[in-house]
Amino acid sequence: MTNFVERRPFNLMGMFDGLEEYLNTGDPVVREWFMVKSNFWPIFLCSSYLLIIKVIGPAMMRDRKPFELRKTMMLYNIFLVASYAACVSVVGYGIAMTGPTALCKNTLVTRKDYTYVMAASGWVIYLLKYAEFLDTIFFVLRKKDKLITNLHVIHHASLPICGWIFFRTERSGFQAYPILINSVIHIVMYSYYALAAMGPQVRKYLWWKRYLTIAQMIQFILIISFVTVIMPLTGCTAAKSSIYINVIAAGLFFALFYNFYQTSFKPTKPKSSRTNGKSVEETNGNGETNGYGKGQNGCKNGEDIANGQSKVKCN
């Protein structure tokens, strides 16, 4: 007897209808907020960001001198530090007031409850991810294209989309914990950037960049542990999309940050050549970077400062 397999036509519109339906499973109040309700603007802005930093920006700056944006960068980084600190304070206070277990269940956000204020703080953090596009735009305007790494681009282009999906599909408050961990790291990170933008007189005290990078990797381990171990043990509930995004994004960023750590901080032996019987240490370029001459510890390359990120060229 012949076995007949039922064949159904591929329904592309049906797939989009199902996706749209799933994107409306989150809290009915939160998913109506600005930059959450729209299916267009998050994707459009992230796509525009990629187009600007990869095509439009470099084309505009090709025949122009780099901009000096030190004061602008200082104000920008201080603004982010203050914004993240305010949101962390609100979310941390909310966790203490409502109790950890209360946030792990499906809740309904209302103005009468403190969960509304906590959700609003998370929403502000989500909006800050779009403001952080300026990190890369500053690179482009300062003609620091070599610092626009895969880590940098993937991080900034993907997090707004992740946040948009969280707010459209999540009813549980469990995401407050990963947000709290990530925001604390961002406070330290943008504080570092603000200090680095102040100039060489402050830059010599930024020896702790290595430990900041280690802290960034630790946060991803904590997030994965929370989602895969702590949350199931405590009986927390969460949308499947939230769990997948946390695990996949944290795993990806851990790998990218680990690669960055190995590249930036792994000790390297300087090459040497002999000139007229003397050993001369080889350096990149003419021994000057960003207008600064001989750096700390005898480094001839000094430090390359980009949006507050001090990338040490030699030890």
Side-chain angles (χ1 to χ4, degrees):
M1 181 179 293
T2 306
N3 293 325
F4 291 95
V5 179
E6 182 181 2
R7 297 187 178 184
R8 297 181 181 180
F10 178 71
N11 188 351
L12 181 60
M13 296 306 298
M15 290 178 60
F16 282 108
D17 290 341
L19 180 60
E20 176 66 23
E21 183 178 349
Y22 181 73
L23 287 173
N24 288 324
T25 57
D27 188 274
V29 174
V30 174
R31 68 174 185 247
E32 293 295 317
W33 288 351
F34 173 69
M35 290 299 292
V36 176
K37 181 178 181 179
S38 174
N39 294 335
F40 170 77
W41 285 109
I43 297 174
F44 173 77
L45 290 177
C46 289
S47 301
S48 299
Y49 160 76
L50 293 174
L51 184 63
I52 289 172
I53 65 170
K54 291 295 185 180
V55 180
I56 298 176
M60 290 178 57
M61 294 301 299
R62 185 174 295 116
D63 299 322
R64 290 182 170 88
K65 294 182 179 180
F67 287 90
E68 174 59 50
L69 300 172
R70 179 172 296 175
K71 292 183 179 179
T72 302
M73 287 161 49
M74 285 175 54
L75 293 175
Y76 163 76
N77 290 312
I78 291 171
F79 163 76
L80 289 176
V81 169
S83 299
Y84 274 110
C87 292
V88 165
S89 300
V90 172
V91 174
Y93 178 78
I95 292 176
M97 291 296 294
T98 58
T101 56
L103 295 175
C104 287
K105 304 294 183 182
N106 287 344
T107 58
L108 185 65
V109 174
T110 61
R111 289 183 178 272
K112 298 179 181 179
D113 193 86
Y114 198 79
T115 55
Y116 186 91
V117 180
M118 294 178 66
S121 297
W123 171 71
V124 171
I125 292 174
Y126 160 65
L127 295 181
L128 289 177
K129 302 305 178 185
Y130 294 98
E132 288 175 20
F133 286 168
L134 288 173
D135 284 6
T136 323
I137 293 174
F138 288 149
F139 286 165
V140 174
L141 294 177
R142 297 170 64 232
K143 303 188 81 168
K144 298 292 182 181
D145 296 344
K146 63 181 180 180
L147 294 171
I148 305 177
T149 61
N150 290 333
L151 165 61
H152 188 89
V153 173
I154 293 172
H155 175 268
H156 286 296
S158 63
L159 285 186
I161 300 298
C162 292
W164 174 65
I165 296 174
F166 282 142
F167 279 100
R168 288 292 294 268
T169 61
E170 189 58 77
R171 285 178 176 267
S172 169
F174 98 100
Q175 191 61 30
Y177 299 98
I179 285 176
L180 196 63
I181 295 170
N182 181 258
S183 297
V184 169
I185 294 297
H186 274 71
I187 291 172
V188 180
M189 181 180 71
Y190 282 108
S191 296
Y192 175 93
Y193 290 167
L195 291 170
M198 292 181 181
Q201 68 275 13
V202 175
R203 215 169 291 142
K204 60 184 178 181
Y205 299 108
L206 300 178
W207 49 265
W208 42 277
K209 180 188 176 185
R210 174 194 296 266
Y211 302 102
L212 172 58
T213 306
I214 292 173
Q216 288 171 320
M217 290 188 288
I218 291 174
Q219 74 162 317
F220 301 124
I221 297 175
L222 292 176
I223 290 172
I224 293 174
S225 300
F226 177 81
V227 173
T228 60
V229 179
I230 298 176
M231 193 182 73
L233 290 177
T234 55
C236 292
T237 59
K240 289 184 178 180
S241 58
S242 298
I243 297 173
Y244 294 150
I245 289 173
N246 275 282
V247 173
I248 294 172
L252 173 63
F253 289 136
F254 177 86
L256 291 171
F257 269 97
Y258 180 77
N259 180 68
F260 170 78
Y261 182 86
Q262 290 291 98
T263 303
S264 301
F265 302 109
K266 187 176 181 180
T268 56
K269 294 182 179 180
K271 297 180 180 179
S272 61
S273 62
R274 292 198 167 270
T275 305
N276 295 328
K278 295 181 180 180
S279 179
V280 179
E281 183 179 313
E282 294 180 352
T283 58
N284 296 326
N286 59 6
E288 299 216 355
T289 303
N290 233 14
Y292 302 109
K294 193 172 181 179
Q296 301 297 318
N297 301 324
C299 285
K300 292 187 178 180
N301 275 342
E303 295 180 339
D304 190 9
I305 305 302
N307 196 18
Q309 180 173 341
S310 174
K311 186 169 184 179
V312 180
K313 293 295 184 183
C314 51
N315 295 319

